[in-house]
Amino acid sequence: MDATISSGVSIPESIFQPFITVSNLSTLDKALENLIELARTDDGRSDLASKNMVATTLHLCQSLSYPSCGSILLLALKLVRNLCGGELRNQDSFIEQNGVDIVSNIICSKEVVNDLNYGIIRMGLQVLANVSLAGKEHRGVIWDRVYSLKFVQIAKLRRKDTCDPLCMILYTCIEGNDALIDKLCSENALPLLVEIIRTASSVGFGEDWLKLILSRTCIEESYFSPLFSKLQYASTESTTDGSGLRQMHIFTQDQSFLLSVLSEIVNEQIEHVTVSKAFAFDVFRTLKTALGILDRVSRPKSSLPTGSIDIDSLGYSLCILRDICAFDDGLENIKEGYVDIVESLLSFGLIETLLDLLRDLEPPSIIRKSVQNRQNQDTTTSSGKLCPYKGFRSDIVAVIGNCAYRRKHVQDEIRAKNGILLMLQQCVTDDENPFLREWGIWGVRNLLEGNGENQRLVGELEIQGSVDLPELSGLGLRVDIDQSTRRAKLVNTG
């Protein structure tokens, strides 16, 4: 005797009868709903494991056609998901019964993907995610299927509820397995990760699995550059300015998103991740590329994120470098080899780049206004480039200050490049740069600590034609006007 479900499709009795018997209910859908609830508990999963319900349910899944049996299929997958939620016997049975192929074929089928049946896809991914937690052998079988290009189609679904479980599966598989990390970032599988980032860039992500993946692949390993490049060539980004002209960007929205996530990871987890030299250098290279936008920015209206792809990319690159350079090389708990990363950045010209950048910027607003008022100049005009976002100058000063901490050769380099007076100029409040004064003081402190030459240079500053600034009086500093260059500088009044 066959069972007929609401769509009129019949199911052989041998397939549906076990559900009726175990649940003691008369219809298949009611039986599945009952077993789903039972499988929510440890005791329920254990009891159903003794009745071999994983194999029975997988057999049911294979007998159901889509879309005519879509509602029953969703219930069946939900039951398998619950059964495999921490019960090893059920997880083992799933692998033994070829469950990975069965579920993968369902959720990757053209009918389900083209129909955008997110419920079935999400449920199937959750099944695989639960099984992946069982052990290395289980993850190996799952990886072989997820690694295939069929899952790229799922990654292309711009849905948070399908992206999150897919990321959980990937991270569970690659964690602790360098060989699989290499495979994920290979030319063959990289499209999967690219599409996941595109989806997260478009709709966001609800769980931290993506951040864990990016931490392992981009920050700790050396795959930031190939991934970043793939995101660049994925699409052409442009916007329309006020005149209706198309303006091409240096970066894409997806690249800017990737940098923002990596910046957040480094900022939050810097003491728990091992930053690779390749990542640090690639971010520095990205920063130098992004500096090209400074010739076409207007006065900043907001901090990060600004809504501008290129400005945000510049800012997040700078923030990553700020946090990478924040470690104290005297701390006992610093990760071995980390100092070499900062030294590598310094050898690539980080300090020189930032000092030149700081010189090119117009003076901080409080100095700029004081100079202009003294010279009866129009306060709306100034020399120098504008900060592209609020906090840009503060971030530059923070990187320099962090690099100078307990590094005498950096202190000496900054003095040799006439950077001490430049850093003193940053010890002021600035409307466009929150915490500039604090970062400036931190930087100057680091420049002077343990460095007699730098201390003598500051102490020998002569006072000529100074301008009174209340904000500086507490620091023993005030502004001077260089009579030859007409530029403002800070001098020591002590």
Side-chain angles (χ1 to χ4, degrees):
M1 178 180 178
D2 294 350
T4 301
I5 58 180
S6 58
S7 60
V9 178
S10 62
I11 301 175
E13 181 179 4
S14 60
I15 294 177
F16 79 81
Q17 189 58 48
F19 298 95
I20 303 299
T21 301
V22 172
S23 66
N24 198 28
L25 293 171
S26 58
T27 62
L28 181 58
D29 54 349
K30 295 296 183 183
L32 287 170
E33 291 172 355
N34 175 267
L35 297 178
I36 287 170
E37 289 300 314
L38 182 62
R40 289 182 182 276
T41 66
D42 292 340
D43 291 341
R45 286 189 288 271
S46 178
D47 178 58
L48 294 175
S50 66
K51 295 179 173 61
N52 202 27
M53 288 306 297
V54 166
T56 302
T57 309
L58 288 174
H59 193 196
L60 172 63
C61 289
Q62 287 183 294
S63 69
L64 298 173
S65 59
Y66 183 86
S68 57
C69 301
S71 59
I72 294 295
L73 181 58
L74 179 59
L75 291 173
L77 289 173
K78 192 172 185 178
L79 175 56
V80 177
R81 181 201 64 180
N82 288 5
L83 288 170
C84 294
E87 173 56 56
L88 185 57
R89 286 180 296 170
N90 287 333
Q91 293 165 329
D92 288 342
S93 177
F94 182 85
I95 297 296
E96 293 166 1
Q97 297 297 320
N98 201 29
V100 175
D101 282 346
I102 293 172
V103 172
S104 297
N105 288 337
I106 291 172
I107 64 177
C108 293
S109 67
K110 291 183 179 180
E111 294 80 9
V112 171
V113 174
N114 291 342
D115 198 28
L116 301 180
N117 195 316
Y118 305 117
I120 286 180
I121 295 172
R122 179 179 67 253
M123 201 60 62
L125 291 172
Q126 291 175 351
V127 170
L128 298 177
N130 279 352
V131 176
S132 72
L133 298 174
K136 184 177 180 180
E137 294 183 2
H138 301 71
R139 290 191 286 273
V141 177
I142 293 172
W143 169 262
D144 289 340
R145 285 307 303 264
V146 176
Y147 179 66
S148 71
L149 293 180
K150 288 185 178 180
F151 274 78
V152 174
Q153 299 305 313
I154 292 179
K156 287 182 176 180
L157 299 175
R158 306 305 182 214
R159 297 275 299 192
K160 187 186 305 183
D161 52 4
T162 55
C163 186
D164 282 342
L166 180 56
C167 288
M168 177 183 175
I169 295 169
L170 285 178
Y171 179 74
T172 304
C173 288
I174 68 173
E175 174 59 10
N177 193 323
D178 292 341
L180 293 190
I181 293 177
D182 293 341
K183 285 187 176 181
L184 176 61
C185 297
S186 67
E187 189 68 23
N188 181 54
L190 197 57
L192 177 61
L193 191 51
V194 168
E195 291 303 331
I196 286 175
I197 293 174
R198 282 176 165 182
T199 293
S201 175
S202 175
V203 301
F205 57 96
E207 301 172 5
D208 285 340
W209 300 110
L210 176 60
K211 293 172 72 173
L212 291 170
I213 291 172
L214 295 178
S215 178
R216 292 289 289 114
T217 57
C218 293
I219 298 176
E220 299 184 34
E221 300 295 336
S222 58
Y223 296 110
F224 168 76
S225 184
L227 179 58
F228 197 69
S229 297
K230 289 289 185 181
L231 293 171
Q232 179 179 10
Y233 302 131
S235 60
T236 301
E237 300 282 356
S238 64
T239 56
T240 303
D241 61 20
S243 63
L245 298 176
R246 303 296 291 182
Q247 180 179 348
M248 302 306 297
H249 296 295
I250 300 175
F251 303 100
T252 66
Q253 178 62 48
D254 298 331
Q255 288 178 314
S256 179
F257 169 79
L258 175 59
L259 287 168
S260 72
V261 175
L262 294 173
S263 175
E264 186 176 338
I265 294 171
V266 172
N267 181 260
E268 294 177 349
Q269 303 291 330
I270 189 63
E271 295 181 1
H272 306 289
V273 297
T274 303
V275 179
S276 69
K277 291 182 181 180
F279 174 66
F281 175 69
D282 287 338
V283 171
F284 181 35
R285 185 171 56 184
T286 301
L287 172 69
K288 291 196 290 186
T289 300
L291 291 177
I293 70 170
L294 292 181
D295 293 326
R296 53 183 175 85
V297 298
S298 57
R299 191 162 298 284
K301 297 180 180 179
S302 69
S303 56
L304 296 174
T306 64
S308 166
I309 295 172
D310 291 337
I311 292 176
D312 289 347
S313 298
L314 168 64
Y316 291 127
S317 299
L318 187 58
C319 289
I320 291 172
L321 293 174
R322 177 198 65 199
D323 293 330
I324 286 178
C325 296
F327 265 129
D328 172 11
D329 59 353
L331 293 177
E332 295 180 357
N333 62 350
I334 193 169
K335 293 181 180 294
E336 183 179 356
Y338 182 86
V339 176
D340 290 339
I341 296 175
V342 180
E343 293 297 339
S344 294
L345 287 171
L346 295 172
S347 69
F348 285 124
L350 176 62
I351 291 298
E352 182 176 7
T353 298
L354 295 180
L355 287 176
D356 289 344
L357 178 57
L358 201 55
R359 286 191 185 94
D360 288 342
L361 295 178
E362 64 178 10
S365 60
I366 192 170
I367 296 178
R368 188 173 68 248
K369 292 175 182 177
S370 297
V371 172
Q372 291 167 339
N373 288 338
R374 180 180 178 182
Q375 299 179 347
N376 296 319
Q377 293 178 350
D378 183 359
T379 59
T380 62
T381 61
S382 62
S383 61
K385 296 180 180 180
L386 303 178
C387 290
Y389 64 88
K390 290 188 175 181
F392 179 63
R393 182 191 298 275
S394 299
D395 290 335
I396 297 172
V397 174
V399 179
I400 296 173
N402 288 342
C403 289
Y405 185 61
R406 298 186 182 181
R407 293 186 177 90
K408 188 175 186 301
H409 64 288
V410 177
Q411 299 170 341
D412 293 341
E413 178 185 359
I414 293 174
R415 182 184 70 251
K417 296 183 182 304
N418 298 319
I420 292 182
L421 288 178
L422 183 65
M423 287 293 288
L424 284 169
Q425 191 180 29
Q426 315 307 315
C427 299
V428 295
T429 57
D430 185 33
D431 295 339
E432 296 176 357
N433 289 277
F435 305 108
L436 175 62
R437 179 178 182 274
E438 290 77 7
W439 279 118
I441 293 173
W442 162 255
V444 171
R445 172 203 175 279
N446 293 342
L447 283 171
L448 301 182
E449 184 182 30
N451 194 307
E453 295 89 340
N454 287 356
Q455 293 171 11
R456 282 192 293 273
L457 176 62
V458 173
E460 292 171 358
L461 290 175
E462 295 182 356
I463 305 173
Q464 296 180 354
S466 61
V467 177
D468 293 329
L469 289 176
E471 289 80 1
L472 301 182
S473 59
L475 300 176
L477 301 168
R478 58 186 173 190
V479 175
D480 274 357
I481 307 300
D482 189 306
Q483 298 301 318
S484 59
T485 65
R486 308 307 300 170
R487 293 182 65 87
K489 65 180 182 180
L490 289 183
V491 298
N492 190 344
T493 61

